[in-house]
Amino acid sequence: MSIERMNLTRRRFMSNFAFATGALATGVGSWVVRADWANAAEGPIRVGIATDLTGPIAFAGVADANVAKMVIKEINDEGGLLGRPIELYIEDTASNESVAVGNVRKLIQRDKVDMVLAGITSSMRNAIKDPIVARGKTLYIYPELYEGKECTPYLFCTGPTPAQQCDDLIPWLIKNGGKKFALPGSNYVYPHTINVYARKLIEAHGGEVVFDEYFPLDQVDFSATVNRIISNKVDVVFNTVIPPGVGPLFKQLSEAGFLKAGGRLACVWADENLLNVSQPSEIEGMASCLDYFRAVTADDPVSAKIQAAYDKNFPGKILFAAGSAATGTYRGLKLWAAAVKEAGKVDRDSVAAALDHARIAEGPGGPAEMVPGKRHCKMKMYIAVAKGGNYEIVGRSNGLVDPKEC
C-alpha cells in the first residue's frame, strides 16, 4: 500500500463509499444512510459513526464506515430494532482530533444519535470521549485494538487488549524467534503503554529488552535504529511504529540483512493491510496476534460468510481487516443491537445495563461476549505469520480470551 493510497482524498472516499452505497451528504464531512422503510409512530433509531474517512489512516476508517453500513442494512432488512428502522449518521474525523471533536458534537447535538461508535487511534478516543460520554450523555463504543486501561463509564471497547494480544504471542516469539527484543514505536500513548506490558511478559519468560525507542509519527529514516538492532544482534523486533513510518522501517531492516540473519518481525496490529505496505520478502515471517485474519475463513463458515458479504458490497482495496477496527466495528454493532433488544428501549442507561453482559454467537473470528462490569469484550484470538504475501494461522486460543481490563 503506497502512502498515496493511504492518504485518501475526500473525492476518493465519496466515490468508494458515499455514492456507491447511497449515503447522502448533509454537510462538509457529514453523511447519512437512511433505511428504505419507516416507522411513523416512533421514528428511527439513530447510530453515529465517527472515523477517519480522510487522512493518513483513511484506509481503515473507510473500511469501518463500510462495515457499519453493511451491518445496519442487515439489521434493517430483518425488521430493524424494536420495530424501528436504524439511520446511520457518518462523520469524518480526518485523523485530526480538533476536527473530530467538532464533528462528534454534530452527531450528538444536531443529529441526536442514540449511540456513537468512533475512533481508531487512542489519541482520537481520548479527544472525543468526553464530548460523547460526559458532555454528550451518549453511549460510546470504541472498536479498535488498543493499549488498555480505558475504564470510562458508558464507554465499551470491542477490540483486543494487550493481554489478549500478548499473553500467548510473547512466549511464542521467544520460542520461535529468540530472547533479545527491540521495541521501536511511534511516539504516542498506544506504543508506550503496550510496550510496558510487553516488556513485563518478555522478562517474565526469560527474554531481554535490548532497547525501546519512540519516533515522530512522520519519521521515515530509521538507519540509526536499524544499525542498533543489527549491532546488538536483536532476535525479535516487536514493532509499534504505524503508517507512514512502518513500511520504511521494515524495508530498511530487510536491506540491512535482519531477516536473512534469522531475525523475526512482530507487530500486533499487523493485518492484511500491512501485507500491502511492504514487499513480501521484507516482512517474511512477521508474526501478529489478532481476533481475525482472512485465513480463518478456510475453516470458519460464519467468518467466510461475513468476509464474502463485505467483498461483494465493497470490492477493491479497502479491506475488511482486524487491525483497522473493521472486526471491532462489526462486533460492536452486533453487541449493541443485542443489548437494545434486551433493554426494549434505546436510552443510554438501559442499553448500557444490557450491553454490560451482551453476547453474540456469531461474528468475525468467532463468538464474543462482554465481561460484566468491565466494559471489555472476550473473543477468540489467532497468531498468524506472513508467508509469501499472505498470513498463515499458527496458533489459536482455547475459547474466548479474557481482556483482563478494568
Side-chain angles (χ1 to χ4, degrees), residues 101-136:
V101 167
N103 286 350
V104 162
R105 286 174 178 157
K106 288 183 193 176
L107 290 173
I108 294 166
Q109 297 172 5
R110 181 191 68 184
D111 303 323
K112 302 187 185 308
V113 299
D114 298 292
M115 181 272 284
V116 176
L117 187 148
I120 296 175
T121 65
S122 290
S123 57
M124 182 65 73
R125 182 190 73 254
N126 287 331
I128 64 179
K129 68 182 181 181
D130 184 67
I132 297 171
V133 174
R135 285 175 282 173

Side-chain angles (χ1 to χ4, degrees), residues 192-394:
H192 280 279
T193 309
I194 198 168
N195 280 347
V196 170
Y197 191 93
R199 177 187 285 270
K200 290 179 180 178
L201 278 173
I202 291 165
E203 294 174 349
H205 287 85
E208 171 194 0
V209 176
V210 178
F211 69 91
D212 59 355
E213 189 173 6
Y214 301 93
F215 309 95
L217 294 178
D218 60 353
Q219 181 152 332
V220 294
D221 179 7
F222 299 94
S223 54
T225 300
V226 169
N227 288 337
R228 194 175 175 191
I229 288 168
I230 299 299
S231 63
N232 282 281
K233 295 181 168 52
V234 166
D235 299 310
V236 179
V237 172
F238 185 89
N239 168 71
T240 50
V241 173
I242 64 170
V246 62
L249 172 61
F250 287 170
K251 181 179 181 63
Q252 290 161 40
L253 277 168
S254 177
E255 290 175 344
F258 175 69
L259 298 180
K260 289 181 180 178
R264 176 156 327 249
L265 298 173
C267 182
V268 291
W269 61 262
D271 61 11
E272 285 77 7
N273 282 301
L274 191 52
L275 294 177
N276 296 323
V277 170
S278 304
Q279 294 297 317
S281 62
E282 296 170 354
I283 55 172
E284 187 71 9
M286 179 182 65
S288 181
C289 184
L290 288 166
D291 51 301
Y292 175 82
F293 293 93
R294 194 180 184 108
V296 172
T297 63
D299 54 14
D300 180 357
V302 172
S303 292
K305 182 179 178 182
I306 294 169
Q307 182 72 60
Y310 182 92
D311 291 345
K312 179 181 178 181
N313 283 291
F314 309 104
K317 296 180 180 180
I318 303 300
L319 305 181
F320 180 80
S324 305
T327 55
T329 297
Y330 186 101
R331 189 179 298 117
L333 289 170
K334 288 288 190 173
L335 287 164
W336 168 80
V340 170
K341 289 178 182 178
E342 179 185 324
K345 53 185 74 173
V346 296
D347 68 276
R348 181 170 77 161
D349 285 331
S350 298
V351 176
L355 187 55
D356 184 65
H357 55 263
R359 59 180 61 194
I360 53 174
E362 297 182 340
E369 59 187 61
M370 300 303 299
V371 180
K374 304 298 184 181
R375 295 184 295 280
H376 284 76
C377 190
K378 287 185 179 180
M379 62 193 78
K380 287 187 176 181
M381 297 298 297
Y382 303 86
I383 298 175
V385 170
K387 291 191 176 182
N390 293 293
Y391 279 117
E392 177 181 299
I393 305 294
V394 297

Side-chain angles (χ1 to χ4, degrees), residues 65-83:
N66 286 345
V67 170
K69 197 273 178 182
M70 183 177 79
V71 173
I72 296 304
K73 183 179 187 304
E74 178 184 322
I75 294 172
N76 279 332
D77 288 348
E78 294 173 352
L81 292 174
L82 312 181

